[in-house]
Amino acid sequence: MSSDPLLQPYQLKHLTLRNRIMTTSHEPAYPEDGMPKQRYAAYHAERAKAGVALAMTAGSAAVSRDSPPVFNNILAYKDEVVPWIRQLTDACHDHGCAVMIQLTHLGRRTGWNKGDWLPSVSSSRHREPAHRAFPKLIEDWDIERIITDFADATERMKEGGMDGIELQVYGHLLDQFWSPLTNDLDGPFGGQSLDSRLHFPLEVLRAIRKRVGDDFIVGLRYTADEAEAGGITPEDGIEISKRLSDSGMVDFLNVIRGRIHTDPAMTDVIPVQGMKAAPHLDFAGAVKQATGMPTFHAARIPDVATARHAVSAGLLDMVGMTRAHMADPHIVQKIIEGREDDIRPCVGATYCLDRIYQAGEALCLHNAATGRELSMPHVIAPAEQVKNIVIVGAGPAGLEAARVASERGHKVTVLEAQADPGGQVRLTAQSPRRREMIGIIDWRMAQCAARDVTFRFNTWAEAEDVTALDPDVVIIATGGLPNMQLFEQAGEAPHVVSAWDLISGDVKPAENVLIYDESGDHPGLMAAEIAATAGAQVEVMTPDRVFAPDIMAMNLVPYMRSLQARDVTFTVTRRLLTVTREGNQLTAHIGTDYSDLVTQARYDQIVVNYGTMPMEDLYFDLKPLSRNGGAVDYDALISGQSQDVTRNPDGKFQLFRIGDAVSARNTHAAIYDALRLMKDI
């Protein structure tokens, strides 16, 4: 047997877990009609197949109709969920992975205008800032009904073959009862007494035990320190933990620290890149020491070394590596095989969570197969015929194309104009907070090096440079350059600089700076942060009704903590029309889409963030020489078939362009372009 602490089995009651690594409860928002169907099962089965010991599914499954999902959660209150749960558990059990599910009632953390349009209920009269619904103060008959709903849902999960369940007790209804910040009740379930505030969660546990017996595994994922004045203190949390242990009804504790009622609070619970790794690990260890209970924990444990420390130091019994397994589902397998250096790193971008709120499904920023297990491979199959492939551009799109092509066994040459790989990702990584992004590039360069991909840096490729290599396939991944036009105007805006200019350091911030952000993505706020940190007076302006709409809640938090401390002004619903120079100052002529109002304001510097324009000249030079004329068969691309378009029978090669060389998008789009095209070439 291995001596690696992470690979030691763990006995949880009657259940033997094959190692110490788990994925904690999270909802990737893959259910269909509230049911965990094929996509959901395939996602968890991929990680089970690679060696994860315990898959804690859902985040969370709703036990009551007046707990409507906020982002496509599993509906555990429906009897029809049972066969789908059985399919999910069987898919994981077939690979030796234990499976549990997290159950909850959201309480005030949902909306009344969802699902069956029932009022939300809570032990608090106050709405939760993040989800905004004003709850009804819960009544006795609500409490009785919801206790029964928890027991019913647990019974369904047991019938579906689950190994156990955990109750969600942070931010949701059960926690709303036991936190003094959110319990406005009188009587046996209210007040400031810890006994009364714990009454409801303990009654739920009693009902569950009465329904499913003592053998079924039941645990809690809960906050043992709300890290807020007036809330549960660490001392309270230790006392609660001891009471849970002493109750005899709880088999494991899954420890959280903090609150999730606002975006900043949730970001401290689930830290993003640039924030401290494993910030609550020692506290979880203190709970384990105080109770002696089986203890689980996850909060930005992105790498194997940190996970190994958590177990070897006795801080945890099971360590959660959830976002890490979205980046690479095969972590355990690679540990077993001595291939830790081969693990695709989680870079903390938290695109997974952002994408749920943005578009209703979790996706990994740089693993485009995650969540697409039914159509995209995590392991690339070899090609039947070796081809000579030339890729122009070594940004994320070009490097992913090179990685996949080389794994297929093709001969690959990459031409890159810059001295280093990375494209826009290398620019992003200039920010100290976002330096982890370079892991996207470093990992792919290592993968390419292991497969003998040829790189030619400092090479501005012309058409004859490409054709001289006698390629079978040419991939144009040249990216784009900053778009310096204003909306629907011809020609570049006069007197302005790009967000890239500030981020790269090519242009220094002036004293009074306008960041005109037409795109609403990271470069605008990155430029604002650079200018504000340099001491400039900064205004961020957008024509949209909200600023930075493409930066979701958790990634916005670090920007706001930095920018608000430096008194940055945010102006919405204002459109930059043109810029004129008057002496040493620039006059911005500012309109609005809502009326004919036009105003003027003076700045020392105007910085524009309006996406990129494709660097496409090489593509169009090569297009008439190609067999397919650059055309892509979308039906074949989507269905996973090879590209066989012929528009020019005399053409010598196939030609495709990907990423921002097509249009301004994001890193995930660039990587997905490359993966789904190259996997069939």
Side-chain angles (χ1 to χ4, degrees), residues 5-8 20-21 281 306-319:
L6 288 175
L7 300 181
Q8 304 310 304
R20 300 304 184 93
I21 297 177
L281 179 57
T306 304
R308 187 173 285 124
H309 163 72
V311 175
S312 64
L315 301 173
L316 301 179
D317 297 299
M318 295 293 297
V319 59

Side-chain angles (χ1 to χ4, degrees), residues 177-178 193-203 240 243:
F177 269 77
W178 83 14
S193 162
L194 185 58
D195 288 332
S196 60
R197 287 188 279 111
L198 290 179
H199 190 182
F200 178 50
L202 290 174
E203 285 299 306
I240 290 170
R243 293 192 186 195

Side-chain angles (χ1 to χ4, degrees), residues 45-186:
E46 185 72 32
R47 286 137 188 89
K49 179 173 62 176
V52 166
L54 170 61
M56 185 68 73
T57 62
S60 314
V63 302
S64 302
R65 286 191 172 275
D66 59 347
S67 176
V70 290
F71 47 79
N72 193 20
N73 305 61
I74 293 172
L75 304 182
Y77 58 78
K78 291 190 173 184
D79 289 339
E80 68 192 82
V81 78
V82 173
W84 294 112
I85 291 293
R86 187 175 296 115
Q87 174 190 265
L88 169 61
T89 54
D90 287 349
C92 294
H93 284 161
D94 286 347
H95 298 294
C97 176
V99 196
M100 300 187 195
I101 192 167
Q102 186 182 80
L103 298 180
T104 198
H105 190 294
L106 287 159
R108 67 176 188 167
R109 192 175 168 80
T110 184
W112 50 265
N113 58 349
K114 302 174 185 291
D116 296 307
W117 282 61
L118 298 172
S120 62
V121 298
S122 178
S123 53
S124 172
R125 291 183 171 88
H126 298 283
R127 73 176 184 178
E128 185 208 56
H131 290 84
R132 302 180 61 80
F134 287 98
K136 179 189 90 166
L137 194 63
I138 199 166
E139 299 180 62
D140 51 0
W141 60 272
D142 291 312
I143 291 172
E144 294 166 6
R145 168 178 57 84
I146 292 169
I147 289 172
T148 300
D149 288 345
F150 269 107
D152 289 345
T154 303
E155 187 173 22
R156 292 185 188 100
M157 299 306 106
K158 182 178 180 181
E159 186 179 347
M162 285 282 174
D163 295 297
I165 62 110
E166 74 173 10
L167 300 178
Q168 210 280 26
V169 198
Y170 61 101
H172 295 199
L173 184 62
L174 295 177
D175 172 59
Q176 290 160 29
F177 269 77
W178 83 14
S179 169
L181 291 169
T182 49
N183 192 322
D184 298 329
L185 296 170
D186 298 318

Side-chain angles (χ1 to χ4, degrees), residues 228 258-270 557 561:
E228 184 165 333
R259 302 182 76 199
I260 57 172
H261 64 305
T262 65
D263 296 336
M266 185 166 69
T267 306
D268 288 333
V269 172
I270 311 173
V557 170
R561 286 176 172 168

Side-chain angles (χ1 to χ4, degrees), residues 202 205-206 241-251:
L202 290 174
L205 282 168
R206 289 187 185 96
S241 303
K242 289 178 177 178
R243 293 192 186 195
L244 293 173
S245 176
D246 293 343
S247 73
M249 296 184 289
V250 177
D251 299 312

